[in-house]
Amino acid sequence: MSRPTECLSHRDTIASIIGSLPGLRKLYVGFTSEPSSITDLTECWSRTTTIRELEYSSAIWPQWKSDFSLDVHVRGLPNLHSLWFDIGGNIVVPPLSNHPLLPKLTNLTLGSVGLPLSASRLVALLSHCPKLQHLVCLSKNYVDDTNSNLQSIQLQHLTSIIVDRELPLKFFISLIRTPALREFKLHESVGKGTIDFIKINPRITDLHIAVRESSSYIDVLEHLTNLQTLSVIGTGPGTFLRGLYSPPATCPLPVCASTLQRLKIVILRDELQPQYFEELVKTWFLPINKEGFTSAGCRALPELELLAGFREQVVAKVRECALWKRAKIHNTAPSVFILHWEYDDATETG
C-alpha cells in the first residue's frame, strides 16, 4: 500500500491536511505512542467518503493496551475497499445489524504484530465484510474459543486466504464457509489442520505451502481436483520433493496431475541434491515422446520455476547434472531460474 508523503503526526493539523485533499483515496495512520483520545483523530477522516484504502500501524504495539473499536475507526467510510490492521490491543466489533460497517470491503489484512485473534472476534469482524474477496491473517497470537456457542457465517465472494499459522484454519473449518475459495497460502509447515481445511475446499486452484523434509503433504494434493498452480517451499537437500514423484503405490500421481499447469519450488538454506531434482524433472517436465508426455504418464509442464533461497549456491550441485545442462534456462533474478525442457528423440532420457 502506498503511503501519502504527508506525516499526520500532529493532531491539531490533521483536519486541515485532510480538508485540503478532497480526492484522498489512500490513508496510512501510524502511531509512535498510544493516543489518549483516538476518537478525536478518527473524526478528522471519518467523513472523507473518497477513502478507499486505510492502514493502521503502530510502532509501540507491545505496550498498546487500549481497545480498538471498529465502529469508531471505519464508520463514515462507505467506500472503503482495503483495510489493514497492524496494531496491538483488542479489536472491538459491534454486533452485526442490517447495515454492516464495511459493505464494500474486498481486501482485509490482519497484521503480524500483537493482534490477539479469537474465533469469535474473527467471525464478528468478517460478518461486517459481505463483499470480502482477499483475507490475510498474519497474527501470531490466537485464542481458540471455537467451542463457544458461535453462529457460522458464509463469505460468498472470498477467493483468497493467506495465513501465517494453521490454528486459524480451525476457525474456518468450524465457523466460516468459503464456497468461492480458489487461492490458499500457508506460511507454516503443513499439518493436519491444513489437510482438514483442504478437504472442505477441494476447488482451490492455487496452492502455496511450506513443508519440512517430510513428503506427507501429498495428502493435501489428493483432495484437489482442479489445482492449476502449486508452490512448495522446503528446506534441506530436497527430500521433500519425493512427495511429488513418489506418492503411494495406490495412486501413481497426485489427482491434480491432470490439471496442474505451473509448479514453483523454493529451496531454503541447504544445497539441492541432484537425485531429487532429476526425479522431479523426469516426472513433471521432461517429455519422452512427441506428444509431450513424461515418463510418469502426465503431460509435461511448460516450465519449472526454481527459487534458490536467494543465493545461487543452493543449486550449485544440480547445475552440473545433465538434465540442468539440457534445459533452456531464463534468469528473472540472480537466484530465480525458469527451466524448460523439449523432447529430443536423439537424447537418451534415462
Side-chain angles (χ1 to χ4, degrees):
M1 179 182 296
S2 61
R3 300 175 179 179
T5 55
E6 290 83 5
C7 180
L8 307 185
S9 57
H10 302 287
R11 186 177 64 181
D12 294 339
T13 64
I14 291 177
S16 60
I17 293 176
I18 296 295
S20 67
L21 301 169
L24 184 65
R25 295 169 65 88
K26 300 179 182 180
L27 180 64
Y28 169 77
V29 184
F31 298 101
T32 56
S33 62
E34 188 169 357
S36 57
S37 179
I38 198 168
T39 303
D40 293 342
L41 296 176
T42 57
E43 287 178 352
C44 297
W45 59 78
S46 62
R47 292 181 294 275
T48 308
T49 58
T50 58
I51 293 179
R52 295 171 61 90
E53 299 181 33
L54 176 61
E55 178 179 347
Y56 283 102
S57 181
S58 171
I60 49 94
W61 64 266
Q63 294 80 39
W64 187 295
K65 304 299 182 183
S66 301
D67 288 337
F68 197 86
S69 172
L70 187 72
D71 193 8
V72 169
H73 291 81
V74 303
R75 186 174 295 279
L77 300 174
N79 294 310
L80 197 63
H81 282 235
S82 179
L83 178 61
W84 182 306
F85 284 116
D86 211 8
I87 59 170
N90 292 318
I91 293 182
V92 179
V93 184
L96 181 64
S97 63
N98 294 330
H99 303 286
L101 292 176
L102 299 163
K104 295 184 180 181
L105 196 75
T106 58
N107 296 273
L108 175 62
T109 298
L110 304 174
S112 59
V113 292
L115 183 67
L117 270 182
S118 63
S120 56
R121 184 171 292 115
L122 183 61
V123 169
L125 176 59
L126 294 179
S127 68
H128 283 277
C129 312
K131 300 294 185 182
L132 192 65
Q133 298 176 19
H134 307 285
L135 173 65
V136 180
C137 288
L138 301 180
S139 177
K140 301 183 186 303
N141 186 5
Y142 291 99
V143 178
D144 184 1
D145 60 351
T146 51
N147 293 327
S148 305
N149 186 23
L150 301 174
Q151 185 174 358
S152 63
I153 62 173
Q154 181 160 291
L155 298 176
Q156 295 278 9
H157 304 279
L158 188 66
T159 61
S160 174
I161 295 177
I162 300 175
V163 292
D164 197 52
R165 300 187 175 187
E166 273 200 329
L167 181 58
L169 297 182
K170 183 178 181 180
F171 304 167
F172 283 88
I173 293 170
S174 303
L175 297 165
I176 305 169
R177 303 291 175 259
T178 55
L181 188 65
R182 294 297 180 267
E183 180 183 35
F184 174 63
K185 295 183 180 181
L186 172 66
H187 294 165
E188 187 180 60
S189 294
V190 168
K192 184 179 182 301
T194 303
I195 296 173
D196 293 341
F197 177 75
I198 294 296
K199 284 181 179 178
I200 63 172
N201 291 282
R203 298 182 182 87
I204 289 174
T205 59
D206 296 271
L207 179 65
H208 307 258
I209 53 176
V211 300
R212 296 188 177 92
E213 281 303 288
S214 170
S215 58
S216 60
Y217 64 92
I218 194 67
D219 294 336
V220 171
L221 303 183
E222 291 306 320
H223 300 283
L224 297 174
T225 57
N226 196 36
L227 188 65
Q228 297 175 21
T229 299
L230 174 62
S231 179
V232 182
I233 303 174
T235 60
T239 54
F240 71 91
L241 295 176
R242 290 184 293 192
L244 294 171
Y245 60 79
S246 299
T250 55
C251 183
L253 279 177
V255 67
C256 64
S258 62
T259 60
L260 195 64
Q261 300 174 13
R262 183 186 178 199
L263 180 57
K264 177 181 178 180
I265 303 296
V266 181
I267 307 291
L268 301 178
R269 294 196 298 272
D270 299 316
E271 282 188 278
L272 176 61
Q273 298 301 304
Q275 64 267 34
Y276 306 118
F277 169 78
E278 290 176 340
E279 291 299 326
L280 179 74
V281 170
K282 291 176 183 178
T283 300
W284 293 99
F285 300 97
L286 184 66
I288 62 170
N289 54 38
K290 294 179 180 179
E291 288 73 29
F293 287 90
T294 70
S295 59
C298 67
R299 188 170 294 280
L301 298 181
E303 60 186 27
L304 167 63
E305 185 175 351
L306 183 62
L307 177 59
F310 307 105
R311 59 189 185 95
E312 293 192 36
Q313 184 62 27
V314 171
V315 293
K317 292 183 179 179
V318 298
R319 295 178 76 170
E320 299 302 319
C321 71
L323 282 181
W324 181 283
K325 293 178 179 179
R326 178 177 168 179
K328 294 183 177 180
I329 304 173
H330 174 60
N331 282 88
T332 58
S335 58
V336 179
F337 304 88
I338 308 298
L339 300 98
H340 169 73
W341 289 267
E342 295 181 351
Y343 170 63
D344 183 358
D345 57 5
T347 303
E348 184 68 33
T349 58

